Amino acid sequence: MGAEDLQQHPQPSADDTITILIATDNHLGYEERDPVRGQDSFHAFEEVMQIAYEKRVDMVLLGGDLFHENRPSRRCLHETLRILRKYALNDRPCALEFLSDARTNFGPNYDTVNYEDPNINIGIPIFTIHGNHDDPCGEGNLSTIDILAESRLVNYFGRATNIDKVSISPILLRKGLTYFALYGLGNIRDERLHRTFKAQNVVFERPQGELACHDWFNLFTIHQNRAPHGPTSYIPHRLLDDFLHLVVWGHEHQCIIDPEFSGEGGFYITQPGSSVATSLSDGESVAKHVGLLRIHKQEFMLEKIRLKNVRPFVMHSVSLCKSSRLYDSALKKGLERYLQIRINNMIEDARAIYKTQLMEGLPFVPANLGDDPKPLVRIRVEYTDELDSFYPHRFSLSFSDRVANPKDILLFYRSKAVDASKLTASQLVQKSANGQLQAAPAPINVHKVEDLVRNHLDSDELRLLIDMELGDAVKQYVDKGDTAVIQRYVLKSLDEVQKQLKRSVSVIDESVIEDELRQVRKTRQQKQEEKEEEEEEEDKIQHRSPSDSVCSTNQNVAAVSLADAIHESLHLQS
């Protein structure tokens, strides 16, 4: 089936056409304490839901990272519930017939999809997976989305119970002559999921029995790295099953919503991107859209709709290396004046962008950001030598009443003197005073957690713990605030060792026990190394995405402190 065949408008009857509003990465609660940007994520999400309501869609599909924080504030939860209740709850009948098993799709506590629950009036069903920001963790392994699901405002699907052998069961829906199979998989660490795919341990379940005879439109929602950040730190298209018709890709924030055909996978991909900018990067400066997807039998059409309530963002780059006049140390004031002019022009450009948003957006959506919101502005400034007497913070504050991000308008970065791709991973280089290249230590924010654990927990008292496993536990503690994860891991390790000793040691002899302990550790270490074998090359890569096992500077400090505390605690217990 060619691209033109798939993209042609589905013929006639609305009774046989499923309409779906698709959006991803809403990041509710992002910068909620900022006096200027605090409501941005909520304004954008309310616009998404308002479009769904006014367009009378059959359902809304969200591709993960509904929340920005794993543990959102009460205010964030309250605002989210307000928006969902306002638009999802109404007396409109839902035309979708639910054909699959709710317990298989949503968990053992659910015997039906939410719009068939007689105790609540759902007019717009919402289906969502989790992302890396709102994934399950902590006691009970719950996500914040579980709270929304328990309140019956959303249908939460795509959670893998076994990440080493993933079975993806579809949500089966029908409207007239159109049979729709919705597959979803919440975020799993990219390297681990890549390994599971390569081992052919990811299975897409297909409709069985009488349902198997129908022609299904198969859509898959995923929240992983799409762009390669390393050999295994993304999910290549070729790993996905070729029976799919369309893949909705979350996690990537750049809006590439027009469907692209993947020659590797044999399906179409749409990447809606985020509805709010969470970083001052080129990808976030692209216009934000959501998609109105219409499915008729095995054909589809995607209409992109530009969001009005997105703060305008303009980003430029300046190279002082190519402008000696500005770079002359005697003309620092000239540099300041030049940057001031550039920023003033960018503010005007942002105003023009916002006017275009208002014109291209739907007329029934109010402009909650106002007529002239403060824009986001970023200039990346490349330089080679020191910038004496230039203070970016003081300079930027002069625009505090005109831009939304006065503290980080300017980003200075030194031009690369050498080709970093030709260096080994452990060799970052810098110039010494005499111009010679010398090895520089890796910055703290690129250490892997397991390396920190290995370095700080290398002692006899901890010989029963596996550094890679404990590294994952430490990362959950730091990233997710799961204060009980270390205790659970230690107790699990001790339980496994005790069971092994009971099976293999019949005589209480210290030397025999010591030998057996060494063997137990060796066996456990080998098993873990086999699981991590495909990630060996990734360990050498310095630059990783936020979803990889990397700590920021503060997280590294926390991880080291935590590691020391574990060491001391177990030493005292021993």
Side-chain angles (χ1 to χ4, degrees):
M1 185 175 295
E4 295 182 358
D5 295 327
L6 276 172
Q7 287 300 305
Q8 68 183 7
H9 195 292
Q11 290 301 312
S13 175
D15 294 336
D16 300 323
T17 302
I18 298 177
T19 57
I20 306 171
L21 190 80
I22 59 170
T24 68
D25 296 271
N26 308 106
H27 286 272
L28 295 175
Y30 177 73
E31 292 285 4
E32 64 177 319
R33 294 179 179 82
D34 187 290
V36 176
R37 304 165 66 184
Q39 285 292 113
D40 285 7
S41 63
F42 302 112
H43 287 328
F45 184 63
E46 182 156 13
E47 181 175 353
V48 171
M49 292 304 301
Q50 188 166 16
I51 293 171
Y53 182 84
E54 295 293 340
K55 290 290 186 178
R56 304 185 74 90
V57 301
D58 294 308
M59 59 176 280
V60 173
L61 176 61
L62 303 178
D65 280 355
L66 176 61
F67 294 97
H68 184 69
E69 298 289 344
N70 191 268
R71 297 184 176 185
S73 67
R74 292 181 183 177
R75 175 181 173 274
C76 178
L77 268 176
H78 181 271
E79 190 69 5
T80 302
L81 290 168
R82 180 191 69 80
I83 295 171
L84 294 175
R85 180 186 58 80
K86 180 178 179 180
Y87 295 99
L89 296 182
N90 55 70
D91 292 327
R92 292 178 180 175
C94 184
L96 296 176
E97 182 181 355
F98 183 70
L99 302 176
S100 52
D101 179 24
R103 291 181 175 84
T104 301
N105 296 143
F106 312 123
N109 296 330
Y110 302 95
D111 55 6
T112 185
V113 68
N114 68 343
Y115 61 85
E116 291 186 354
D117 189 329
N119 298 312
I120 188 170
N121 285 337
I122 296 292
I124 303 180
I126 301 171
F127 296 83
T128 182
I129 61 173
H130 69 258
N132 57 303
H133 280 256
D134 47 20
D135 59 335
C137 71
E139 186 175 357
N141 195 36
L142 297 174
S143 165
T144 305
I145 305 175
D146 280 298
I147 298 175
L148 304 182
E150 195 63 30
S151 67
R152 303 301 276 155
L153 290 173
V154 304
N155 298 293
Y156 174 26
F157 72 110
R159 187 193 313 211
T161 56
N162 182 356
I163 59 178
D164 292 318
K165 192 169 184 179
V166 178
S167 179
I168 306 175
S169 297
I171 297 172
L172 302 179
L173 303 167
R174 183 178 75 88
K175 183 179 180 183
L177 299 177
T178 299
Y179 289 82
F180 177 43
L182 173 61
Y183 295 84
L185 182 61
N187 179 263
I188 299 173
R189 198 178 75 173
D190 289 293
E191 293 86 351
R192 190 177 294 274
L193 182 58
H194 188 283
R195 182 175 63 246
T196 307
F197 266 113
K198 289 289 288 286
Q200 298 184 344
N201 285 328
V202 178
V203 178
F204 288 84
E205 302 289 347
R206 306 294 291 273
Q208 301 295 320
E210 296 181 0
L211 296 175
C213 63
H214 299 292
D215 292 327
W216 294 87
F217 184 90
N218 302 302
L219 185 150
F220 180 42
T221 308
I222 186 174
H223 190 100
Q224 303 290 155
N225 281 333
R226 183 181 175 190
H229 297 269
T232 61
S233 60
Y234 74 113
I235 305 301
H237 301 169
R238 67 179 183 276
L239 296 181
L240 303 184
D241 204 308
D242 61 5
F243 82 98
L244 298 170
H245 294 97
L246 179 65
V247 175
V248 177
W249 210 294
H251 185 63
E252 302 286 1
H253 281 206
Q254 181 176 351
C255 181
I256 312 176
I257 198 166
D258 292 316
E260 300 176 346
F261 185 74
S262 170
E264 291 184 352
F267 42 73
Y268 283 84
I269 298 176
T270 177
Q271 180 179 302
S274 63
S275 57
V276 62
T278 61
S279 65
L280 300 179
S281 62
D282 288 323
E284 294 277 23
S285 64
V286 177
K288 305 290 188 184
H289 295 79
V290 293
L292 186 61
L293 177 66
R294 296 183 177 91
I295 301 172
H296 181 263
K297 297 184 179 179
Q298 288 192 302
E299 299 177 344
F300 77 93
M301 187 192 80
L302 182 66
E303 175 190 353
K304 62 180 182 180
I305 300 174
R306 188 164 183 176
L307 294 177
K308 280 186 179 181
N309 290 292
V310 175
R311 191 170 297 277
F313 174 27
V314 178
M315 183 170 179
H316 288 171
S317 296
V318 174
S319 177
L320 300 186
C321 314
K322 300 177 182 178
S323 181
S324 58
R325 182 178 63 82
L326 292 174
Y327 196 47
D328 192 320
S329 59
L331 295 174
K332 295 299 180 185
K333 293 298 181 181
L335 173 59
E336 289 191 22
R337 285 196 297 272
Y338 172 75
L339 292 177
Q340 286 173 348
I341 293 172
R342 288 293 296 266
I343 294 172
N344 286 330
N345 291 338
M346 291 168 72
I347 292 174
E348 292 303 315
D349 291 343
R351 287 174 175 166
I353 289 173
Y354 187 65
K355 289 180 181 179
T356 303
Q357 283 180 200
L358 296 182
M359 293 175 59
E360 293 184 356
L362 297 178
F364 54 75
V365 176
N368 289 328
L369 286 177
D371 296 328
D372 187 20
K374 294 179 180 180
L376 298 169
V377 174
R378 164 61 67 90
I379 298 183
R380 301 176 73 250
V381 184
E382 180 187 19
Y383 68 100
T384 56
D385 298 323
E386 296 299 327
L387 286 173
D388 298 329
S389 305
F390 193 92
Y391 302 100
H393 183 67
R394 185 176 65 187
F395 171 84
S396 300
L397 286 179
S398 62
F399 294 92
S400 59
D401 60 337
R402 302 180 61 198
V403 301
N405 60 313
K407 295 181 180 179
D408 51 9
I409 296 177
L410 300 179
L411 174 64
F412 285 93
Y413 67 99
R414 190 185 300 273
S415 61
K416 296 180 180 179
V418 294
D419 186 359
S421 65
K422 297 179 180 179
L423 302 174
T424 62
S426 61
Q427 290 179 316
L428 297 179
V429 297
Q430 61 184 6
K431 280 191 174 181
S432 63
N434 61 7
Q436 299 297 317
L437 293 178
Q438 61 182 8
I444 190 169
N445 65 333
V446 296
H447 286 302
K448 290 185 69 176
V449 178
E450 48 263 41
D451 293 333
L452 291 170
V453 172
R454 184 182 298 112
N455 292 336
H456 289 267
L457 300 185
D458 186 15
S459 70
D460 289 339
E461 285 82 2
L462 301 172
R463 60 187 180 274
L464 300 183
L465 304 183
I466 307 302
D467 46 30
M468 288 177 283
E469 293 177 350
L470 186 54
D472 284 339
V474 172
K475 184 176 185 299
Q476 289 187 48
Y477 178 94
V478 175
D479 288 348
K480 310 299 182 185
D482 185 357
T483 56
V485 65
I486 301 294
Q487 182 182 10
R488 291 199 304 272
Y489 166 69
V490 173
L491 292 176
K492 179 182 175 182
S493 296
L494 291 176
D495 183 60
E496 291 177 358
V497 172
Q498 288 172 353
K499 290 179 180 178
Q500 180 63 30
L501 289 177
K502 288 179 180 179
R503 287 194 297 265
S504 56
V505 178
S506 58
V507 180
I508 301 178
D509 184 285
E510 185 173 343
S511 61
V512 174
I513 293 176
E514 286 292 333
D515 290 341
E516 188 62 31
L517 285 176
R518 281 193 291 269
Q519 184 59 40
V520 169
R521 175 177 170 80
K522 183 179 179 180
T523 301
R524 295 179 66 226
Q525 186 76 35
Q526 287 176 345
K527 289 182 180 179
Q528 185 66 21
E529 287 175 353
E530 288 173 2
K531 292 178 64 177
E532 301 291 333
E533 186 177 4
E534 292 189 11
E535 299 178 23
E536 288 180 358
E537 289 188 43
E538 196 63 22
D539 294 339
K540 301 175 184 178
I541 294 175
Q542 294 294 334
H543 300 288
R544 291 171 169 263
S545 70
S547 64
D548 298 333
S549 55
V550 179
C551 281
S552 65
T553 301
N554 291 336
Q555 289 174 330
N556 274 313
V557 173
V560 173
S561 301
L562 177 61
D564 290 337
I566 298 168
H567 184 286
E568 180 180 357
S569 174
L570 293 180
H571 178 71
L572 291 174
Q573 292 179 19
S574 65

mmCIF file of all heavy atoms in Angstrom, residues 1 37 99 166 184 200 246 261 312 367 404 424 461-462 467 483 509 520:
data_model
loop_
_atom_site.group_PDB
_atom_site.id
_atom_site.type_symbol
_atom_site.label_atom_id
_atom_site.label_comp_id
_atom_site.label_asym_id
_atom_site.label_seq_id
_atom_site.Cartn_x
_atom_site.Cartn_y
_atom_site.Cartn_z
ATOM 1 N N MET A 1 0.852 -1.191 0.000
ATOM 2 C CA MET A 1 0.000 0.000 0.000
ATOM 3 C C MET A 1 0.885 1.237 0.000
ATOM 4 O O MET A 1 1.725 1.416 0.870
ATOM 5 C CB MET A 1 -0.893 0.019 1.236
ATOM 6 C CG MET A 1 -1.898 1.173 1.242
ATOM 7 S SD MET A 1 -3.003 1.053 2.666
ATOM 8 C CE MET A 1 -3.864 -0.461 2.295
ATOM 9 N N ARG A 37 6.164 31.837 33.571
ATOM 10 C CA ARG A 37 5.935 30.620 32.782
ATOM 11 C C ARG A 37 5.154 29.544 33.538
ATOM 12 O O ARG A 37 4.915 28.456 33.007
ATOM 13 C CB ARG A 37 7.279 30.043 32.341
ATOM 14 C CG ARG A 37 8.129 31.024 31.573
ATOM 15 C CD ARG A 37 9.576 30.585 31.461
ATOM 16 N NE ARG A 37 9.725 29.375 30.666
ATOM 17 C CZ ARG A 37 10.878 28.747 30.480
ATOM 18 N NH1 ARG A 37 11.984 29.211 31.038
ATOM 19 N NH2 ARG A 37 10.929 27.660 29.748
ATOM 20 N N LEU A 99 -13.677 -4.194 22.560
ATOM 21 C CA LEU A 99 -13.742 -5.618 22.240
ATOM 22 C C LEU A 99 -12.728 -6.477 22.988
ATOM 23 O O LEU A 99 -12.796 -7.709 22.892
ATOM 24 C CB LEU A 99 -13.529 -5.823 20.730
ATOM 25 C CG LEU A 99 -14.508 -5.095 19.802
ATOM 26 C CD1 LEU A 99 -14.110 -5.329 18.354
ATOM 27 C CD2 LEU A 99 -15.934 -5.551 20.058
ATOM 28 N N VAL A 166 8.811 -8.788 27.039
ATOM 29 C CA VAL A 166 7.696 -7.843 26.967
ATOM 30 C C VAL A 166 6.614 -8.388 26.041
ATOM 31 O O VAL A 166 6.882 -8.741 24.886
ATOM 32 C CB VAL A 166 8.182 -6.473 26.455
ATOM 33 C CG1 VAL A 166 7.008 -5.508 26.339
ATOM 34 C CG2 VAL A 166 9.257 -5.912 27.384
ATOM 35 N N GLY A 184 0.527 -0.155 22.886
ATOM 36 C CA GLY A 184 1.299 0.870 23.587
ATOM 37 C C GLY A 184 2.339 0.259 24.495
ATOM 38 O O GLY A 184 2.148 -0.839 25.036
ATOM 39 N N GLN A 200 14.567 -10.652 20.477
ATOM 40 C CA GLN A 200 13.238 -11.059 20.002
ATOM 41 C C GLN A 200 12.328 -11.458 21.157
ATOM 42 O O GLN A 200 11.530 -12.395 21.052
ATOM 43 C CB GLN A 200 13.357 -12.201 18.982
ATOM 44 C CG GLN A 200 14.134 -11.820 17.736
ATOM 45 C CD GLN A 200 14.172 -12.927 16.694
ATOM 46 O OE1 GLN A 200 13.874 -14.074 16.977
ATOM 47 N NE2 GLN A 200 14.537 -12.573 15.466
ATOM 48 N N LEU A 246 0.805 2.539 11.705
ATOM 49 C CA LEU A 246 1.219 3.873 12.149
ATOM 50 C C LEU A 246 1.832 3.774 13.535
ATOM 51 O O LEU A 246 1.328 3.040 14.392
ATOM 52 C CB LEU A 246 0.006 4.823 12.183
ATOM 53 C CG LEU A 246 0.253 6.256 12.646
ATOM 54 C CD1 LEU A 246 1.173 6.996 11.681
ATOM 55 C CD2 LEU A 246 -1.072 7.004 12.806
ATOM 56 N N PHE A 261 7.104 7.881 6.059
ATOM 57 C CA PHE A 261 7.154 6.440 5.834
ATOM 58 C C PHE A 261 8.536 5.921 6.188
ATOM 59 O O PHE A 261 9.561 6.474 5.761
ATOM 60 C CB PHE A 261 6.820 6.102 4.382
ATOM 61 C CG PHE A 261 6.747 4.623 4.122
ATOM 62 C CD1 PHE A 261 5.668 3.875 4.577
ATOM 63 C CD2 PHE A 261 7.771 3.972 3.443
ATOM 64 C CE1 PHE A 261 5.591 2.516 4.342
ATOM 65 C CE2 PHE A 261 7.705 2.610 3.204
ATOM 66 C CZ PHE A 261 6.616 1.874 3.661
ATOM 67 N N PRO A 312 6.017 31.947 22.484
ATOM 68 C CA PRO A 312 6.925 31.998 21.326
ATOM 69 C C PRO A 312 8.381 31.901 21.753
ATOM 70 O O PRO A 312 8.777 32.422 22.795
ATOM 71 C CB PRO A 312 6.613 33.369 20.702
ATOM 72 C CG PRO A 312 5.987 34.176 21.793
ATOM 73 C CD PRO A 312 5.248 33.197 22.647
ATOM 74 N N ALA A 367 -6.970 32.906 23.583
ATOM 75 C CA ALA A 367 -5.533 33.129 23.752
ATOM 76 C C ALA A 367 -5.247 33.363 25.229
ATOM 77 O O ALA A 367 -5.204 34.506 25.705
ATOM 78 C CB ALA A 367 -5.086 34.318 22.908
ATOM 79 N N ALA A 404 10.791 36.046 28.874
ATOM 80 C CA ALA A 404 10.341 35.125 29.923
ATOM 81 C C ALA A 404 11.490 34.392 30.591
ATOM 82 O O ALA A 404 11.295 33.772 31.629
ATOM 83 C CB ALA A 404 9.358 34.107 29.332
ATOM 84 N N THR A 424 39.528 9.134 22.517
ATOM 85 C CA THR A 424 38.874 8.055 23.256
ATOM 86 C C THR A 424 37.893 8.675 24.231
ATOM 87 O O THR A 424 37.970 9.864 24.550
ATOM 88 C CB THR A 424 39.907 7.207 24.015
ATOM 89 O OG1 THR A 424 40.575 8.035 24.968
ATOM 90 C CG2 THR A 424 40.917 6.611 23.049
ATOM 91 N N GLU A 461 32.995 -5.849 52.945
ATOM 92 C CA GLU A 461 31.675 -5.911 53.578
ATOM 93 C C GLU A 461 30.548 -5.962 52.550
ATOM 94 O O GLU A 461 29.436 -6.378 52.844
ATOM 95 C CB GLU A 461 31.469 -4.691 54.491
ATOM 96 C CG GLU A 461 32.252 -4.757 55.805
ATOM 97 C CD GLU A 461 33.707 -4.306 55.603
ATOM 98 O OE1 GLU A 461 34.055 -3.927 54.469
ATOM 99 O OE2 GLU A 461 34.467 -4.355 56.572
ATOM 100 N N LEU A 462 30.840 -5.487 51.320
ATOM 101 C CA LEU A 462 29.788 -5.397 50.320
ATOM 102 C C LEU A 462 29.992 -6.398 49.194
ATOM 103 O O LEU A 462 29.528 -6.191 48.087
ATOM 104 C CB LEU A 462 29.756 -3.965 49.752
ATOM 105 C CG LEU A 462 29.522 -2.887 50.804
ATOM 106 C CD1 LEU A 462 29.693 -1.513 50.203
ATOM 107 C CD2 LEU A 462 28.138 -3.022 51.404
ATOM 108 N N ASP A 467 27.511 -4.346 41.634
ATOM 109 C CA ASP A 467 27.555 -2.907 41.434
ATOM 110 C C ASP A 467 26.561 -2.414 40.391
ATOM 111 O O ASP A 467 25.954 -1.356 40.550
ATOM 112 C CB ASP A 467 28.977 -2.445 41.068
ATOM 113 C CG ASP A 467 29.619 -3.313 39.999
ATOM 114 O OD1 ASP A 467 28.866 -3.856 39.173
ATOM 115 O OD2 ASP A 467 30.855 -3.456 40.005
ATOM 116 N N THR A 483 12.913 6.324 48.399
ATOM 117 C CA THR A 483 13.799 6.167 49.549
ATOM 118 C C THR A 483 13.931 4.733 50.024
ATOM 119 O O THR A 483 14.846 4.405 50.769
ATOM 120 C CB THR A 483 13.291 7.036 50.719
ATOM 121 O OG1 THR A 483 11.938 6.673 51.012
ATOM 122 C CG2 THR A 483 13.358 8.519 50.362
ATOM 123 N N ASP A 509 30.919 -24.370 58.418
ATOM 124 C CA ASP A 509 32.370 -24.203 58.455
ATOM 125 C C ASP A 509 32.676 -22.859 57.772
ATOM 126 O O ASP A 509 32.271 -22.623 56.629
ATOM 127 C CB ASP A 509 33.060 -25.343 57.727
ATOM 128 C CG ASP A 509 34.580 -25.228 57.835
ATOM 129 O OD1 ASP A 509 35.150 -24.365 57.129
ATOM 130 O OD2 ASP A 509 35.169 -26.000 58.607
ATOM 131 N N VAL A 520 28.934 -17.730 44.846
ATOM 132 C CA VAL A 520 27.615 -17.121 44.653
ATOM 133 C C VAL A 520 27.764 -15.753 43.984
ATOM 134 O O VAL A 520 27.061 -15.423 43.020
ATOM 135 C CB VAL A 520 26.876 -16.992 45.991
ATOM 136 C CG1 VAL A 520 25.624 -16.125 45.833
ATOM 137 C CG2 VAL A 520 26.480 -18.367 46.511
#
